[in-house]
Amino acid sequence: MDRRDLESFMKKTEERNSDEEDGFKENFEKIHNNYEKQGATDNAIQLFLDHIPLYVIPGIHNSSVPELRPEDCVRDAIASMHERCILGAPIGVDADSSTENSMDRDIGLIEFSSMVLWAIEEVEKAESELCSKSGSFFSMLDQLPNIGRAKIGELARTFRWGPFLPVQLSDSLLHVLLLLSKHRLKAAPVIDRSDSRIVGFVTQHAAVQLLLHCSGLEWFDSIANKPLSDFGYEKRGPVIHLHGDQSVAEGLHCLWKNRIGGIPILDSKTERLIGNFRSTDVRLLLDNDDIFKNRKKLTMEEFINFDARNENSGLAPLDPIERELGALFSAGALRIKSHFLTKMGNPVTNRLSDTLKQAMEKVAESKNDCLFIMNDGQRVVGMVTLRDMIVQFSPPSLESKGVGGVAGFFETAFQQSDCTIENGSIVCDH
């Protein structure tokens, strides 16, 4: 199958009115079989991924994407995202009157957990100004208007938001992988060219899930079937960790200080892994006022036990596509809560002898952002993130379809979010 045949096939797939899920499986299987017949080549991985357009992925139009404004205050932004159960949202500005292009309106992505952690850090610093120190998270922000009423647009350097680097429905999976791996983005916004609106996000989770659909292809298996020990994840230095007898407040500070998505919790006596504190878990302090009020007294082990007892209430029924494929491309992929997300007391682990594919399957199933590598003594010796996995399958060149270019809109986006390109990757000043 040459490029012309593939493009013709993709066009037919786009025009089909049958079930999205069946179309995706059928499309992926056909390309899979043809490349398997041709055998692996030096650029097989790039050729394959460059022929999977985003519009054939089920769920790409699943839901609308909420947007925040630079003039929104921190308190209202957090409350809105918490109420809608979303982990991230684009920041929009008024577009030029001559155009209604999302690329001109949206200047960045902001994270729910980042705002919450920043707000808690600021509340701790201003504790002496509080009239009541036993209130809920939002009541604290109401007492400190310099924090709660601070404008999002004024805090670009403080929050961990990235430049707005969107992809279009016609772009390929290769294009997305390059953005997620080379530019350290957690999600790439997807733009519908017909109306220049954001229709969803391609997350790191979705990218890993799609890569797993390549299982059986020689180029994929040649990488994915290697043991984790071959990648040297355990040689990157000590893993940042917390002990079960440390407070939740200490855990929150550790997440903010180190800008990481997950921290292993170890038993203070045995040093054995007992849990995982993730940035997504900060929502529990907003769900339950008692946890926030007692964050300085409540230990991490007690927090883990609370999470184990807490049911996943308020979750919508599983979407058929989500249940079957797990490739969540819509705004639903940025949900705070998930049927699949494991409890804090059930961290995802692998042994050094396990393969990269086995690790990918575990994070895909659990919807965790990372997993921990254990040695024979059941001690944590390394951590593997979603990006660590994706980068193994991303070609080293950033030249495909102009990915990495900073002309025009990209240059403006970088400036607005205090980012620059250095050695082919995005570097943020915050």
Side-chain angles (χ1 to χ4, degrees):
M1 179 179 285
D2 60 20
R3 185 181 182 88
R4 191 178 307 170
D5 294 332
L6 280 165
E7 289 176 347
S8 175
F9 176 77
M10 294 302 183
K11 184 175 182 180
K12 291 179 181 179
T13 303
E14 184 183 30
E15 295 171 349
R16 289 182 57 188
N17 294 319
S18 59
D19 183 79
E20 280 185 322
E21 181 182 338
D22 291 340
F24 171 74
K25 288 183 176 179
E26 192 174 302
N27 169 57
F28 223 101
E29 183 178 353
K30 186 167 184 178
I31 298 177
H32 180 290
N33 291 338
N34 277 277
Y35 270 83
E36 185 67 20
K37 291 177 182 177
Q38 291 181 8
T41 63
D42 290 340
N43 62 346
I45 182 171
Q46 183 164 342
L47 289 174
F48 183 88
L49 298 175
D50 208 24
H51 288 94
I52 305 293
L54 300 182
Y55 59 69
V56 304
I57 307 301
I60 197 69
H61 286 287
N62 270 354
S63 58
S64 60
V65 177
E67 185 179 81
L68 297 175
R69 311 286 292 179
E71 60 269 22
D72 289 340
C73 69
V74 168
R75 187 205 187 282
D76 293 346
I78 293 176
S80 175
M81 296 176 76
H82 181 245
E83 181 180 352
R84 297 178 180 183
C85 288
I86 56 176
L87 284 173
I91 307 298
V93 297
D94 292 329
D96 184 90
S97 58
S98 62
T99 178
E100 276 297 316
N101 192 318
S102 184
M103 285 183 161
D104 297 323
R105 295 186 300 102
D106 297 290
I107 61 173
L109 294 173
I110 199 163
E111 294 177 291
F112 168 81
S113 59
S114 179
M115 284 194 291
V116 174
L117 290 170
W118 173 84
I120 292 176
E121 282 286 307
E122 294 302 308
V123 166
E124 302 291 8
K125 296 175 184 177
E127 190 174 27
S128 61
E129 302 175 27
L130 294 171
C131 298
S132 171
K133 299 180 182 180
S134 60
S136 67
F137 172 80
F138 289 111
S139 69
M140 293 289 190
L141 295 186
D142 291 337
Q143 292 184 60
L144 300 168
N146 60 314
I147 300 173
R149 307 310 299 177
K151 306 300 181 184
I152 291 177
E154 299 172 356
L155 297 168
R157 290 181 179 273
T158 304
F159 292 148
R160 287 184 297 157
W161 67 343
F164 187 79
L165 301 179
V167 294
Q168 298 183 9
L169 288 168
S170 57
D171 284 328
S172 69
L173 181 55
L174 173 67
H175 187 97
V176 173
L177 288 181
L178 288 169
L179 283 175
L180 294 179
S181 62
K182 303 300 181 182
H183 295 330
R184 300 178 181 272
L185 302 181
K186 290 187 176 180
V190 181
I191 302 294
D192 187 341
R193 182 182 293 180
S194 63
D195 59 7
S196 297
R197 296 286 172 177
I198 303 174
V199 297
F201 297 92
V202 183
T203 65
Q204 291 179 334
H205 275 295
V208 168
Q209 183 71 40
L210 288 172
L211 282 169
L212 285 171
H213 279 276
C214 301
S215 180
L217 284 177
E218 186 173 347
W219 61 259
F220 176 83
D221 290 346
S222 65
I223 299 173
N225 288 338
K226 291 181 180 180
L228 292 174
S229 57
D230 281 9
F231 299 96
Y233 296 131
E234 77 282 8
K235 300 176 182 178
R236 296 190 292 194
V239 178
I240 297 172
H241 64 274
L242 293 165
H243 286 108
D245 57 1
Q246 290 183 262
S247 69
V248 172
E250 289 177 282
L252 294 168
H253 178 70
C254 188
L255 282 176
W256 174 254
K257 177 183 177 181
N258 295 287
R259 304 296 201 271
I260 50 181
I263 303 173
I265 310 300
L266 309 181
D267 183 274
S268 57
K269 296 180 180 179
T270 66
E271 294 295 314
R272 298 290 180 88
L273 181 67
I274 61 174
N276 176 26
F277 186 31
R278 302 154 298 198
S279 60
T280 52
D281 296 320
V282 302
R283 67 173 176 81
L284 294 172
L285 281 81
L286 278 64
D287 292 344
N288 190 309
D289 291 342
D290 288 336
I291 296 178
F292 179 79
K293 294 176 184 177
N294 296 298
R295 64 191 182 281
K296 295 183 180 182
K297 298 178 181 179
L298 191 69
T299 67
M300 288 304 307
E301 186 169 3
E302 292 170 336
F303 192 25
I304 290 172
N305 292 333
F306 168 83
D307 186 43
R309 298 190 300 269
N310 186 41
E311 296 296 328
N312 288 327
S313 59
L315 290 173
L318 277 176
D319 182 272
I321 294 175
E322 178 179 348
R323 182 187 297 109
E324 178 66 21
L325 295 176
L328 309 179
F329 272 75
S330 69
L334 300 182
R335 283 196 298 267
I336 296 174
K337 300 179 181 180
S338 170
H339 289 277
F340 298 101
L341 187 63
T342 57
K343 295 293 186 179
M344 294 170 62
N346 296 312
V348 182
T349 63
N350 277 96
R351 297 170 298 176
L352 282 168
S353 58
D354 291 336
T355 65
L356 178 61
K357 180 181 176 181
Q358 289 173 315
M360 293 171 67
E361 289 172 338
K362 278 197 172 183
V363 294
E365 180 180 357
S366 66
K367 293 298 178 289
N368 276 273
D369 290 339
C370 64
L371 61 82
F372 304 110
I373 302 177
M374 314 296 288
N375 63 14
D376 294 336
Q378 293 301 304
R379 300 294 197 276
V380 177
V381 295
M383 184 171 73
V384 184
T385 66
L386 291 171
R387 181 182 178 273
D388 289 332
M389 299 174 181
I390 294 171
V391 75
Q392 301 301 329
F393 302 93
S394 181
S397 172
L398 291 178
E399 297 175 357
S400 175
K401 293 188 176 180
V403 179
V406 294
F409 165 76
F410 285 156
E411 183 175 5
T412 302
F414 290 147
Q415 292 174 351
Q416 290 173 326
S417 52
D418 300 303
C419 296
T420 58
I421 289 288
E422 294 182 11
N423 299 320
S425 295
I426 293 179
V427 176
C428 296
D429 298 329
H430 53 283

